[in-house]
């Protein structure tokens, strides 16, 4: 089932899939100050019954600001209050970067297991694997 955002909010789209074990919400577009109020309300309505699992797939998010981070934190709280297991999945680079910068990567559980272990080049801000000594994007020695 595809849900359309409310009128006036055109930057965030999502789809919802439900099966016996989990509800998966796939978000795409921009999760920002314009989309956040509606996203909070709609996501809270989609929390599965107590004991279920909720997976938020963030692979399609191409921009997220602190308002989007607040949406995830609100969803985490709503899930915990409802006895639901919340998992983030397939984090896009903007989402991973914001979680890392905010120091909140370890506040969430991930469908893939552990939070992504990333670093960013101080020169070009390209994504790096933790164990590299030279940036593959700009060649800077780290």
């Amino acid at each position: 089932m595809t849900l359309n955002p409310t009128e006036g909010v055109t930057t965030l789209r999502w789809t919802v899939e439900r099966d016996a074990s989990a509800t998966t919400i796939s978000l795409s577009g921009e999760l920002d100050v314009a989309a956040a109020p509606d996203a909070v309300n709609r996501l809270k309505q989609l929390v599965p019954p107590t004991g279920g699992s909720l997976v938020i797939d963030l692979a399609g998010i191409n921009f997220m600001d602190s308002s989007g981070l607040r949406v995830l934190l609100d969803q985490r709280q709503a899930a915990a209050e409802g006895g639901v297991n919340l998992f983030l999945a397939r984090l896009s680079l903007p989402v991973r970067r914001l979680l890392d910068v905010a120091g909140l990567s370890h506040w969430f559980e991930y469908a893939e297991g552990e939070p992504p272990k990333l670093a960013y080049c101080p020169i070009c801000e390209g994504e790096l694997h933790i164990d590299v000594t030279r940036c593959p994007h700009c060649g800077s020695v780290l």
Side-chain angles (χ1 to χ4, degrees):
M1 153 172 71
T2 300
L3 300 176
N4 294 320
T6 59
E7 186 174 319
V9 179
T10 59
T11 60
L12 181 65
R13 295 167 306 282
W14 56 87
T15 59
V16 178
E17 295 177 23
R18 296 176 195 237
D19 61 29
S21 62
T23 298
T24 301
I25 301 169
S26 299
L27 300 175
S28 61
E30 298 178 1
L31 185 50
D32 58 9
V33 69
D38 182 58
V40 168
N41 292 331
R42 289 190 178 231
L43 288 171
K44 283 183 180 176
Q45 293 172 3
L46 296 170
V47 173
T50 300
S53 293
L54 176 63
V55 178
I56 301 177
D57 182 331
L58 298 162
I61 296 295
N62 55 31
F63 176 80
M64 188 165 100
D65 64 10
S66 60
S67 299
L69 184 56
R70 180 81 249 162
V71 168
L72 295 180
L73 292 169
D74 287 347
Q75 192 63 39
R76 178 180 176 259
Q77 181 176 346
E81 289 171 356
V84 172
N85 299 313
L86 173 68
F87 298 94
L88 300 184
R90 301 182 339 131
L91 278 62
S92 66
L93 182 58
V95 174
R96 285 186 272 172
R97 185 169 292 177
L98 185 57
L99 286 170
D100 286 346
V101 168
L104 298 175
S105 294
H106 296 284
W107 281 41
F108 295 93
E109 292 188 58
Y110 297 88
E112 297 87 7
E114 292 293 315
K117 291 182 170 76
L118 298 173
Y120 304 98
C121 175
I123 306 302
C124 72
E125 297 185 0
E127 181 180 333
L128 305 171
H129 294 282
I130 297 292
D131 58 353
V132 300
T133 57
R134 182 177 293 275
C135 176
H137 308 288
C138 70
S140 298
V141 175
L142 307 170

